[in-house]
Amino acid sequence: MLKVKVCGLRDNITEVVGLEPDYIGFIFYSKSKRYIEELPDDVLKTLSDTIQKVGVFVDQELEEVMDKVERYRLDCVQLHGHESIAYCSSLKKKLDIHVIKVFSGNDLPDSNVLDAYGEIIDYYLFDTRNESYGGTGQKFDWTAINGLKLKKPIFLSGGISVDDLDEIEESGIDIFAVDVNSKFETKPGLKDVSLIKRLLELRK
């Protein structure tokens, strides 16, 4: 079954968690409209073990990332900036954590670069490049990754809505998970629970 990650949580975390998506994302990048400074203790204490907590970072110091991982017991980090292979490798060596590396824009690195990252990271995430780093609502050109033979599973992001689900599943691209954000909220950080519920019900 297609996995679902709901990213940019902030204002109604408990409601979204109650729907039990596979992954939930918290953005620790201060310039984001969905920036969350602290995670609420009550949510962390009651969170099901089946839901993976993802921290989203953009070109931040390794020590800052490590601090958030340890403080909130994150399961994954999502690196949304220009983090190098060496940076990803250092993170993996220091922490027992999954790394999701974002590749943005329709001009993707060549296959050699993607393969080199694939030796280190756990997942690729393909998204639309924007200065706000995430939640733009702009569609990513999925055909850009069709036919790629990658070493790790793919998260697909970039303006995904419920109406895109059939097209994604019929695209022939081997997608592990969809990462949804702006198309599933009423304002930045406040998610539309009914839309998320529908997405979870419709996935195959």
Side-chain angles (χ1 to χ4, degrees), residues 101-103 108-127 140 142-156 172-176:
K101 181 67 185 83
V102 179
F103 296 92
L108 298 175
D110 64 34
S111 59
N112 290 331
V113 174
L114 292 173
D115 284 347
Y117 273 97
E119 296 288 345
I120 304 298
I121 64 173
D122 298 280
Y123 302 96
Y124 298 93
L125 189 152
F126 294 103
D127 194 6
F140 172 73
W142 306 328
T143 62
I145 61 173
N146 200 359
L148 288 179
K149 295 180 180 179
L150 299 172
K151 296 183 177 181
K152 298 294 167 63
I154 296 171
F155 280 72
L156 183 63
I173 304 170
D174 186 12
I175 303 299
F176 171 74

Side-chain angles (χ1 to χ4, degrees), residues 162-174:
V162 170
D163 295 334
D164 296 316
L165 201 56
D166 284 342
E167 184 179 350
I168 290 170
E169 292 175 336
E170 294 170 3
S171 67
I173 304 170
D174 186 12

Side-chain angles (χ1 to χ4, degrees), residues 62-114:
L62 198 61
E63 291 72 18
E64 180 182 354
V65 177
M66 292 171 60
D67 174 69
K68 291 291 194 295
V69 169
E70 293 169 348
R71 188 189 310 178
Y72 300 123
R73 301 184 301 280
L74 300 177
D75 302 290
C76 309
V77 294
Q78 179 174 314
L79 304 177
H80 218 296
H82 301 89
E83 296 85 1
S84 66
I85 293 172
Y87 181 103
C88 297
S89 181
S90 294
L91 193 58
K92 290 286 290 182
K93 288 177 181 177
K94 292 176 183 293
L95 297 170
D96 180 21
I97 194 163
H98 287 165
V99 173
I100 304 168
K101 181 67 185 83
V102 179
F103 296 92
S104 301
N106 295 332
D107 295 323
L108 298 175
D110 64 34
S111 59
N112 290 331
V113 174
L114 292 173

